[in-house]
Amino acid sequence: NAGVTQTPKFQVLKTGQSMTLQCAQDMNHNSMYWYRQDPGMGLRLIYYSASEGTTDKGEVPNGYNVSRLNKREFSLRLESAAPSQTSVYFCASSDMGSMSNEQFFGPGTRLTVL
Amino acid sequence: RKEVEQDPGPFNVPEGATVAFNCTYSNSASQSFFWYRQDCRKEPKLLMSVYSSGNEDGRFTAQLNRASQYISLLIRDSKLSDSATYLCVVNPYNFNKFYFGSGTKLNVKP
């Protein structure tokens, strides 16, 4: 039982390059989330998916797109990376609607945009 | 106004001390409450959920005060390994978003 996995762990991009961050969970959770965390700041929600086939914007969606490929996988895409997107990205999942709806996090992707 | 507010600290305490953190939330419809622990450059991990009647897990006690809209975390007999950032998280009822505080940093010194 791996929980939530993310790839890659580290990435360096040049301004304007694109990339996709991958996330998968094996807990059969219905909801999945993408956050970014910047130094000295809390986690900010980028996008979330309440269930397979649905996605919604969070607090800071500009510059990002997401795909809920199936119940297990939720990817985050940067179409044209900017230095302001340098951050640590965390994927999370939860079993919303259950008695235990806490979030479980992946290990994060550390992204630097030059 | 932020949804969730925490004192960023740092709280510097000696081993064996008792330390308490508070966190206030703005949405009175919030129904689920959590404390997470985050070590430097790692992912947040659930420390404990917070129940209406309060709950305890070993040296950790969490309390909820709905009237004043705050939750608290008490750590007794602090260990060096308790040094981390503690995140307060709230989830409004039937709402598929979680709101995170910026975290309170705890340093436990020998």
Side-chain angles (χ1 to χ4, degrees):
Chain A
N1 189 335
V4 181
T5 57
Q6 290 183 238
T7 55
K9 286 190 168 54
F10 301 94
Q11 184 71 50
V12 178
L13 293 177
K14 294 180 180 177
T15 296
Q17 287 185 315
S18 62
M19 78 162 295
T20 300
L21 281 64
Q22 306 287 354
C23 173
Q25 52 93 8
D26 62 2
M27 295 174 282
N28 202 36
H29 287 167
N30 49 6
S31 300
M32 298 185 73
Y33 313 80
W34 275 105
Y35 294 91
R36 60 177 288 174
Q37 187 175 37
D38 301 298
M41 297 185 71
L43 279 82
R44 292 186 291 169
L45 183 64
I46 304 171
Y47 271 93
Y48 67 99
S49 169
S51 61
E52 185 179 349
T54 68
T55 61
D56 285 286
K57 295 179 180 179
E59 184 184 356
V60 288
N62 291 344
Y64 305 95
N65 285 301
V66 291
S67 295
R68 183 73 182 269
L69 304 169
N70 47 54
K71 192 170 187 180
R72 289 188 65 248
E73 298 172 289
F74 189 37
S75 62
L76 178 72
R77 182 160 178 84
L78 287 70
E79 291 290 353
S80 179
S84 60
Q85 294 178 305
T86 293
S87 189
V88 180
Y89 291 85
F90 290 106
C91 177
S93 70
S94 71
D95 190 12
M96 290 303 294
S98 74
M99 291 294 290
S100 300
N101 65 338
E102 68 267 25
Q103 291 188 315
F104 294 83
F105 285 83
T109 295
R110 284 154 184 77
L111 174 67
T112 301
V113 183
L114 302 174
Chain B
R1 183 183 174 186
K2 288 184 181 179
E3 294 279 344
V4 179
E5 301 212 49
Q6 293 182 252
D7 181 342
F11 285 61
N12 298 307
V13 302
E15 270 187 292
T18 295
V19 62
F21 311 135
N22 280 344
C23 159
T24 58
Y25 60 94
S26 61
N27 188 337
S28 60
S30 295
Q31 289 291 325
S32 298
F33 307 88
F34 310 92
W35 283 102
Y36 277 74
R37 171 195 170 122
Q38 186 173 28
D39 293 291
C40 188
R41 301 179 67 78
K42 296 288 184 71
E43 73 271 27
K45 292 186 177 177
L46 180 68
L47 178 66
M48 57 196 305
S49 301
V50 185
Y51 302 121
S52 296
S53 55
N55 47 301
E56 188 174 304
D57 183 2
R59 297 181 293 108
F60 299 86
T61 300
Q63 296 280 352
L64 168 63
N65 185 319
R66 287 191 184 275
S68 300
Q69 293 183 205
Y70 75 85
I71 67 173
S72 63
L73 177 68
L74 181 78
I75 305 175
R76 289 181 298 278
D77 188 22
S78 298
K79 311 290 185 193
L80 295 176
S81 57
D82 293 334
S83 296
T85 296
Y86 291 84
L87 305 175
C88 169
V89 185
V90 305
N91 169 235
Y93 181 70
N94 250 354
F95 193 47
N96 208 326
K97 286 184 182 178
F98 292 76
Y99 294 99
F100 286 75
S102 300
T104 297
K105 187 169 176 57
L106 172 65
N107 295 317
V108 181
K109 310 255 184 217

